[in-house]
Amino acid sequence: MPANHSHLDLLEANAYVRKASESFFWQCTTRTVQESKLFPVNPYIALSYFNAWYRWPELLRKIDAAMPAEEIGDRARQVGSYVSTITAGLIPQFYLGGRQILLDMGMLKPTDAIDDILSVLDFGRRLNLSYHRSHAHVIPSDAGHRAQVHTERQTQVLEADALGVTPGDKLHTAFGRFMATASAYGFLSHCECRLSFNNHGPYMTKGGHEMLVRDMLDLAECDYPWMDGVASEIEHNNLTVVVIMKDTHFNIVDDWGSFEATPAYDNDNLVAVGVYTSDHLSDGYIPVHMDSAEELADYLDDLREKMTDATAGMWKMMAGWSRDQMIDAGLLVYSGVTKDLAHFAGVYEQTDWFEVDEQCQRFKPLMNDEYGGMLIAETVGLLSMSSQNHSEHHMTKFTDARGEMWTGVPYSILADDEWTSGVGPIGPGSTSLPTKSALWTTTRGKLTQEENNRLAREFKPAGWDLRHYDDDWWLKNHPGDPRADDLYKVAQASSAVLRDRGSTLLEDDVQQARAAAGR
């Protein structure tokens, strides 16, 4: 019996698979080897792919039923959260990674789990289209590695409110020290991977300066059970840092939310900085101690000391973990990259995201460091597995070799080929890690899981009914329109400089307001 999908469904799905494959190859092969002296990184990455394969179809359907993917994308681009350029872009990658390894092991056929595959890809594509709506691309590499997530109404506020700095002054010094500490803290809390960080932009500002928006995520007591207690002194779970740089061009802001700059990023070129918090329950960005440069500097110094203490606490705790605990923590960070989608939709369940599926557990005995390392190298770097090879005439995008990372969906399922629908309901899961015991840190305070979900389901952002007017094409032709003014005033509501200024501001107006405010 032919599968219940159209020719167009498969054309779109396979184009998205190839886009994902080429993006992931470029990202993986422009990085150094992924290894750690503490965590078995490659074994946990490989296992996370299996966990995604067996669990994501049902979990993403559950989220989609409560809040469509494209609505979550629209909401997420108004705040800094774990729904970001990197996590949204990883949906096809981690899921198809599990499929590809199972194909190569001979445990799957390309025509297996067709409904699951089409469903996950469709969810991922809709989410990415919506999240990147402002620059009308699916992922940043489509735009030459540029990720302009925000519209003007938001970037005007971020630029206007940024506090000016000069090299060596109190805020400049505090900021530099804080960023170094926060980077080490986020790297360790995420089991020595960089998923705690996401950058987007750049955005052009006055004088040819460029603004980069940098999200630092899951810093406090949050979904990760190992943060309970050790991160109790961290006030905000998410921080968004805005930097405006002179003499610096961010020539790459890529599909993993990383950046490269020409010349290289130099703190001495920092001219202004802002700090905000936000999440799935906040109405946009909330300024954090930004009434003056001195106040923000004092806050960053205090937070740096707290993060230093928490980092030491995590080192002591993790040093006592077994190999199984380290693998579980790392693989759950990876397979949990989509967890904040459930927070936005108000359907988050800790056991959905922080247990290892019993079908995934079967592969653990294989994953010593040598096998895990070679498996990941073959799968996402060398592309040398037999399941990845195309014909001898095939030439891939970057290397002219015959291997493509992810296998597409055969069109024969539209005719007479045998196929299966999916992996079935989520099976039992388990974890070697302690059970989560602390509350969740949010912009509405410390909440239980039930309170967090209820508030998420009840929450409707200000200006939500006007979101379809939030694009340059409509705004360009409706200056001063009451709907435009209302929309801009939503973004300006917490601004110290532009509050209630509306939609007709030009760059010179922003600079005058900024100067008048002593920024």
Side-chain angles (χ1 to χ4, degrees), residues 171-181 267 270 300 304:
L171 179 55
H172 184 273
T173 302
F175 180 75
R177 291 173 176 170
F178 167 74
M179 290 301 288
T181 300
N267 222 33
L270 181 68
L300 293 177
R304 174 174 55 83

Side-chain angles (χ1 to χ4, degrees), residues 384-425:
S384 53
M385 301 197 303
S386 59
S387 65
Q388 295 173 315
N389 278 342
H390 286 232
S391 79
E392 292 177 319
H393 294 231
H394 189 76
M395 300 170 69
T396 59
K397 179 176 180 178
F398 294 110
T399 67
D400 294 338
R402 54 186 294 204
E404 297 283 359
M405 190 178 294
W406 310 138
T407 296
V409 179
Y411 292 90
S412 57
I413 63 166
L414 302 176
D416 57 356
D417 208 349
E418 294 183 351
W419 55 275
T420 61
S421 176
V423 298

Side-chain angles (χ1 to χ4, degrees), residues 127 179 276 279 350 493:
L127 177 71
M179 290 301 288
Y276 300 83
D279 62 15
Q350 184 73 4

Side-chain angles (χ1 to χ4, degrees), residues 186-499:
F187 193 68
L188 183 61
S189 68
H190 285 65
C191 304
E192 299 209 319
C193 78
R194 56 160 308 278
L195 283 166
S196 182
F197 304 99
N198 176 70
N199 301 281
H200 59 84
Y203 305 93
M204 187 64 70
T205 59
K206 186 69 174 178
H209 300 341
E210 293 187 13
M211 180 168 66
L212 193 69
V213 180
R214 313 189 65 185
D215 296 323
M216 297 184 286
L217 308 164
D218 280 345
L219 304 172
E221 291 181 322
C222 56
D223 301 324
Y224 303 136
W226 53 90
M227 303 286 280
D228 290 356
V230 73
S232 61
E233 295 299 312
I234 308 300
E235 180 183 6
H236 301 294
N237 193 41
N238 301 331
L239 289 177
T240 295
V241 171
V242 176
V243 295
I244 299 177
M245 307 288 293
K246 68 177 182 179
D247 302 329
T248 305
H249 173 47
F250 294 100
N251 57 306
I252 291 178
V253 182
D254 64 25
D255 297 341
W256 286 2
S258 300
F259 71 86
E260 292 184 14
T262 304
Y265 186 98
D266 185 340
N267 222 33
D268 284 347
N269 288 328
L270 181 68
V271 297
V273 60
V275 178
Y276 300 83
T277 187
S278 58
D279 62 15
H280 58 286
L281 297 177
S282 71
D283 216 341
Y285 293 102
I286 303 168
V288 175
H289 295 281
M290 285 181 59
D291 287 342
S292 70
E294 183 169 1
E295 180 184 336
L296 182 56
D298 288 341
Y299 172 73
L300 293 177
D301 280 340
D302 179 66
L303 183 55
R304 174 174 55 83
E305 291 177 4
K306 289 175 178 174
M307 284 187 171
T308 299
D309 291 342
T311 301
M314 276 192 291
W315 271 115
K316 292 176 184 175
M317 171 180 59
M318 291 174 173
W321 278 1
S322 66
R323 177 182 174 84
D324 204 38
Q325 287 177 305
M326 289 190 178
I327 285 180
D328 280 3
L331 88 84
L332 291 169
V333 167
Y334 260 57
S335 66
V337 293
T338 47
K339 65 183 178 56
D340 267 27
L341 297 164
H343 280 306
F344 274 94
V347 293
Y348 180 86
E349 298 286 342
Q350 184 73 4
T351 52
D352 283 347
W353 300 98
F354 283 88
E355 288 190 351
V356 182
D357 196 278
E358 65 175 1
Q359 299 180 85
C360 175
Q361 296 276 16
R362 296 175 301 169
F363 297 96
K364 270 188 179 174
L366 290 174
M367 296 296 168
N368 58 34
D369 287 350
E370 182 180 12
Y371 183 81
M374 291 308 300
L375 178 61
I376 290 300
E378 297 279 355
T379 305
V380 303
L382 300 172
L383 309 191
S384 53
M385 301 197 303
S386 59
S387 65
Q388 295 173 315
N389 278 342
H390 286 232
S391 79
E392 292 177 319
H393 294 231
H394 189 76
M395 300 170 69
T396 59
K397 179 176 180 178
F398 294 110
T399 67
D400 294 338
R402 54 186 294 204
E404 297 283 359
M405 190 178 294
W406 310 138
T407 296
V409 179
Y411 292 90
S412 57
I413 63 166
L414 302 176
D416 57 356
D417 208 349
E418 294 183 351
W419 55 275
T420 61
S421 176
V423 298
I426 291 177
S430 61
T431 174
S432 59
L433 297 164
T435 303
K436 178 165 177 59
S437 57
L439 300 175
W440 276 259
T441 307
T442 76
T443 55
R444 306 276 192 96
K446 298 271 190 178
L447 301 175
T448 65
Q449 178 176 282
E450 291 70 27
E451 291 170 335
N452 204 350
N453 282 332
R454 177 179 58 77
L455 290 173
R457 289 193 296 271
E458 294 173 353
F459 181 53
K460 180 180 179 182
W464 181 245
D465 293 337
L466 295 171
R467 67 189 184 281
H468 296 314
Y469 300 103
D470 190 12
D471 61 74
D472 288 343
W473 307 293
W474 185 84
L475 290 163
K476 180 179 180 181
N477 293 290
H478 296 80
D481 187 293
R483 291 167 292 182
D485 277 338
D486 287 347
L487 200 55
Y488 271 65
K489 288 176 182 176
V490 168
Q492 296 163 353
S494 299
S495 172
V497 176
L498 299 183
R499 184 179 176 87

Side-chain angles (χ1 to χ4, degrees), residues 37-296:
K37 294 298 183 185
L38 180 62
F39 282 86
V41 173
N42 286 312
Y44 82 54
I45 289 176
L47 288 163
S48 78
Y49 291 176
F50 294 127
N51 218 39
W53 170 258
Y54 289 116
R55 296 207 145 206
W56 280 8
E58 181 174 324
L59 293 179
L60 296 185
R61 286 188 181 107
K62 175 181 175 181
I63 293 166
D64 212 19
M67 183 180 289
E70 57 271 30
E71 185 172 327
I72 297 175
D74 263 346
R75 291 268 299 272
R77 64 192 173 84
Q78 314 292 348
V79 295
S81 80
Y82 213 55
V83 179
S84 64
T85 296
I86 181 170
T87 57
L90 288 174
I91 289 176
Q93 317 293 11
F94 290 1
Y95 178 71
L96 293 175
R99 177 185 184 232
Q100 196 67 44
I101 295 171
L102 292 169
L103 285 172
D104 210 73
M105 288 177 166
M107 298 177 69
L108 282 182
K109 295 183 298 181
T111 53
D112 282 331
I114 294 303
D115 292 334
D116 278 358
I117 295 168
L118 271 289
S119 174
V120 171
L121 293 177
D122 176 63
F123 185 100
R125 193 166 59 94
R126 286 185 285 124
L127 177 71
N128 278 280
L129 280 168
S130 180
Y131 184 76
H132 293 288
R133 183 181 117 173
S134 298
H135 66 126
H137 296 92
V138 183
I139 50 179
S141 54
D142 295 334
H145 297 293
R146 185 159 292 173
Q148 296 189 317
V149 173
H150 285 320
T151 54
E152 179 192 64
R153 70 186 178 99
Q154 186 61 66
T155 53
Q156 278 187 343
V157 171
L158 297 179
E159 180 187 8
D161 284 2
L163 293 162
V165 298
T166 54
D169 72 19
K170 183 175 180 178
L171 179 55
H172 184 273
T173 302
F175 180 75
R177 291 173 176 170
F178 167 74
M179 290 301 288
T181 300
S183 296
Y185 174 76
F187 193 68
L188 183 61
S189 68
H190 285 65
C191 304
E192 299 209 319
C193 78
R194 56 160 308 278
L195 283 166
S196 182
F197 304 99
N198 176 70
N199 301 281
H200 59 84
Y203 305 93
M204 187 64 70
T205 59
K206 186 69 174 178
H209 300 341
E210 293 187 13
M211 180 168 66
L212 193 69
V213 180
R214 313 189 65 185
D215 296 323
M216 297 184 286
L217 308 164
D218 280 345
L219 304 172
E221 291 181 322
C222 56
D223 301 324
Y224 303 136
W226 53 90
M227 303 286 280
D228 290 356
V230 73
S232 61
E233 295 299 312
I234 308 300
E235 180 183 6
H236 301 294
N237 193 41
N238 301 331
L239 289 177
T240 295
V241 171
V242 176
V243 295
I244 299 177
M245 307 288 293
K246 68 177 182 179
D247 302 329
T248 305
H249 173 47
F250 294 100
N251 57 306
I252 291 178
V253 182
D254 64 25
D255 297 341
W256 286 2
S258 300
F259 71 86
E260 292 184 14
T262 304
Y265 186 98
D266 185 340
N267 222 33
D268 284 347
N269 288 328
L270 181 68
V271 297
V273 60
V275 178
Y276 300 83
T277 187
S278 58
D279 62 15
H280 58 286
L281 297 177
S282 71
D283 216 341
Y285 293 102
I286 303 168
V288 175
H289 295 281
M290 285 181 59
D291 287 342
S292 70
E294 183 169 1
E295 180 184 336
L296 182 56

